[in-house]
Amino acid sequence: MKTKSKIFVTAFSLIIAFLSAQNGKVKKHILDLDGTSTNIKIQPTMYGIFFEDINFAADGGLYAELIKNRSFEFDEPLTGWKQSNTKTLSPNLDSGFLTIITDKSKANKNFARITVWNDENYVLENEGFRGIGLHQGEKYDFSFNLENVSGNISAVNFST
């Protein structure tokens, strides 16, 4: 019996037992599961280590990168990113907007295409992992790839 089937049978049996008890009629139910026939092979090199994703460790919380969803690969590609002056369902002529592009032929398959209509008003922020823990006096390296598609970008401002 497959695991999903076992779970279903267990849940169904428990529901029947609960409903029977609610009607004042106590019935004896026996559920016998045989776990010896799962046909699941466990490698001898598996020592039973359990990994719990505390503080987003798998996603960057304890990783040197401080940017959340830096490659736009989360289920929701804009998770962690905020465009405070960009309005939903608007041409955003007073700011701009970001679009996620997926191109499997590139080394980084997901990237952001940003259309800026007003360079004084467009803002793109990343929330980090419960914030971005910067410390005064410390040195941080910041890098990103930029392709100037329109040819009219003269500067990009970064601030903390």
Side-chain angles (χ1 to χ4, degrees):
M1 186 181 286
K2 293 189 175 189
T3 304
K4 287 183 181 180
S5 298
K6 289 180 183 179
I7 292 172
F8 175 76
V9 168
T10 303
F12 184 75
S13 298
L14 290 173
I15 290 170
I16 296 298
F18 177 78
L19 292 176
S20 296
Q22 295 299 315
N23 292 331
K25 300 175 186 175
V26 179
K27 295 182 180 180
K28 184 176 180 181
H29 296 278
I30 298 174
L31 178 63
D32 186 18
L33 298 176
D34 181 9
T36 60
S37 63
T38 60
N39 296 326
I40 298 172
K41 295 182 180 180
I42 298 175
Q43 298 297 323
T45 56
M46 294 182 72
Y47 296 105
I49 294 175
F50 174 76
F51 176 74
E52 185 174 354
D53 190 7
I54 299 172
N55 293 330
F56 304 104
D59 295 324
L62 301 177
Y63 182 52
E65 302 277 342
L66 300 174
I67 303 299
K68 182 185 237 178
N69 191 17
R70 63 189 170 123
S71 294
F72 308 102
E73 293 179 355
F74 283 21
D75 290 337
E76 293 292 326
L78 291 178
T79 299
W81 295 94
K82 183 169 74 170
Q83 305 169 89
S84 54
N85 296 333
T86 299
K87 309 295 184 257
T88 305
L89 303 175
S90 167
N92 292 293
L93 297 177
D94 192 39
S95 62
F97 59 92
L98 176 143
T99 306
I100 304 301
I101 308 292
T102 300
D103 184 350
K104 296 184 190 281
S105 68
K106 296 198 181 268
N108 187 2
K109 66 179 181 170
N110 297 322
F111 58 93
R113 175 162 292 147
I114 302 170
T115 303
V116 177
W117 297 111
N118 180 346
D119 61 345
E120 304 271 329
N121 205 22
Y122 181 74
V123 176
L124 176 63
E125 300 172 296
N126 188 279
E127 67 185 36
F129 294 88
R130 293 188 180 131
I132 297 177
L134 301 178
H135 303 282
Q136 186 173 354
E138 294 291 322
K139 179 184 173 196
Y140 297 90
D141 295 324
F142 174 75
S143 66
F144 64 98
N145 296 323
L146 173 71
E147 181 180 350
N148 193 351
V149 176
S150 64
N152 60 0
I153 298 173
S154 59
V156 175
N157 297 321
F158 171 80
S159 64
T160 58

